[in-house]
Amino acid sequence: MRKSYKFRLYPTKEQGIILTKTLDVCRYIYNEFLADRRNAYDRCNRGLNILDQINQVKYLEFNIPVQSQVKQDVIRRLGKSFDAFFRRCKSGEIPGYPRFKSKGRYNSFTYPQSGFLIEGTKLKLSKIGTIKLKQHRGIEGKIKTCTIKRELDQWYAVFSADLGKCPIKVEPITSIGIDVGLNSCVTLSNGEQFDSPEFYRKSEKSLTVQQKRLSRKKKGSENRNRQKSKVVKVHRKIRNQRLDFNHKLSRILVDRFDRIVFEDLNINNMVKNHHLAKSISDVAWGQLIQMTKYKAEETGKFVELVNPYNTSQMCSGCGTLVKKSLAVRTHKCPECGLELDRDHNAAINILNLCTVGTTGRACGVMDNSSGNEAGST
């Protein structure tokens, strides 16, 4: 079981220059060996593998020293891009041939085994030096890799740690069904609701002003580059606010309940509705579900996904289908007289679907150990 830890780095001005030059070297290696692969296929009708190119990269020399394993990891990264390309070709998806990386599209490099060491409040990097590290929490397990990442004008260290075997699954005692929505971010089957903070919509006015100013700047000018950074900073703030909210909400859910049941939504298709796309992206359902999954996996708890078909239309009291549009926010059953909030009714149905599935009928269950859907029995 792997877990990642992300910490802020505070390099000096000189160290920032070295980090930027290291990124430029890695980007150059990526583009050069991507061109080699393309040319080998076009001219000789043969492909190059990772081992072939790793044997070549050690002969390259640059103005600044770069650790050998960092350069080798760039080749492995390129290999993963081609593996994903061939996988998409075989599965009939849009292939998306690996692209050359421009200056703003290559923002990280990795020490895959060694060359890094945490010394108190400092991070020692091979060929770079010792950089101030803000380690706001401890690291569990054994650190396997260290990735240095640039986000505009900020630098981060991301450590991947091996925690060993997954914890033993607990016997679920408390279960909850969750309906994700737009008016309320989530509605629980016990009636609780967590309102959507709508970070994007609150920052939309500021973002519009910055984007208008960007559109007036001459392309390729320094003024345009500076203004582009301001736009990116607004987006970064929205992203960080959304991450913080979903981290806290997923932690609340995992701490309180042993089994958490969501709808198995196809969010990619849902955002094709241009009337709802902005609101769906703003609440970030997929991010919340993913965070809840890995937090539950760490504690031996369960996150399960059920078929969302008719969960909003079905009466949770008697099972009668009560058709209603999205504008109707209250569920009123003409058969049993049940009247409650539409999202609360859906959340109860979601929990009931999982309960039925575990007693013999099919229930879409997310296997926490593998990340694949499995049938619950």
Side-chain angles (χ1 to χ4, degrees), residues 45-57:
N45 198 26
R46 68 178 294 267
L48 299 176
N49 57 40
I50 295 175
L51 186 59
D52 292 336
Q53 295 193 308
I54 284 179
N55 290 331
Q56 298 174 24
V57 74

Side-chain angles (χ1 to χ4, degrees), residues 30 34 80-89 93-99:
Y30 187 96
L34 171 56
K80 291 177 182 178
S81 298
F82 273 94
D83 290 341
F85 166 71
F86 292 127
R87 174 183 53 78
R88 291 190 293 268
C89 288
E93 303 174 48
I94 299 175
Y97 191 82
R99 296 191 301 175

Side-chain angles (χ1 to χ4, degrees), residues 17-23 25 61-66 127:
I17 293 173
I18 296 174
L19 289 171
T20 301
K21 288 183 177 180
T22 303
L23 275 179
V25 168
E61 295 183 1
F62 302 96
N63 294 331
I64 64 166
V66 178
K127 308 296 184 181

Side-chain angles (χ1 to χ4, degrees), residues 30-44:
Y30 187 96
N31 289 337
E32 283 296 306
F33 284 88
L34 171 56
D36 285 348
R37 286 201 178 212
R38 186 186 63 179
N39 293 337
Y41 187 81
D42 289 343
R43 298 170 184 174
C44 307

Side-chain angles (χ1 to χ4, degrees), residues 11 31-32 54 62 64 84 95 100-101 138 143 167 177 195 199 286 295 302 313 328 339 350 355 363 372:
N31 289 337
E32 283 296 306
I54 284 179
F62 302 96
I64 64 166
F100 292 100
K101 302 295 184 180
I143 299 176
D195 292 335
F199 295 118
K295 287 181 172 65
F302 299 87
Q313 309 295 335
V328 179
E339 182 174 341
I350 291 167
T355 304
C363 176
N372 299 319

Side-chain angles (χ1 to χ4, degrees), residues 165-215:
K165 294 182 179 179
C166 295
I168 299 174
K169 299 297 181 183
V170 299
E171 185 66 27
I173 299 174
T174 55
S175 299
I176 198 72
I178 298 179
D179 177 68
V180 294
L182 299 179
N183 293 336
S184 297
C185 180
V186 295
T187 301
L188 311 188
S189 55
N190 60 10
E192 292 183 63
Q193 290 186 328
F194 293 85
D195 292 335
S196 174
E198 297 184 338
F199 295 118
Y200 180 82
R201 289 192 179 275
K202 290 178 181 178
S203 300
E204 199 168 13
K205 185 176 180 180
S206 172
L207 185 62
T208 301
V209 171
Q210 298 299 338
Q211 287 177 326
K212 281 184 177 179
R213 291 176 181 173
L214 177 64
S215 67

Side-chain angles (χ1 to χ4, degrees), residues 9 35 44 88 90 98 105 142 179-180 216 227 258 287 311 342 349 372:
L9 289 174
C44 307
R88 291 190 293 268
K90 291 179 181 178
R105 289 186 176 272
K142 184 179 180 181
D179 177 68
V180 294
R216 298 188 185 108
Q227 185 59 36
D258 299 329
Q287 185 184 79
T311 53
R342 172 198 183 103
N349 285 329
N372 299 319

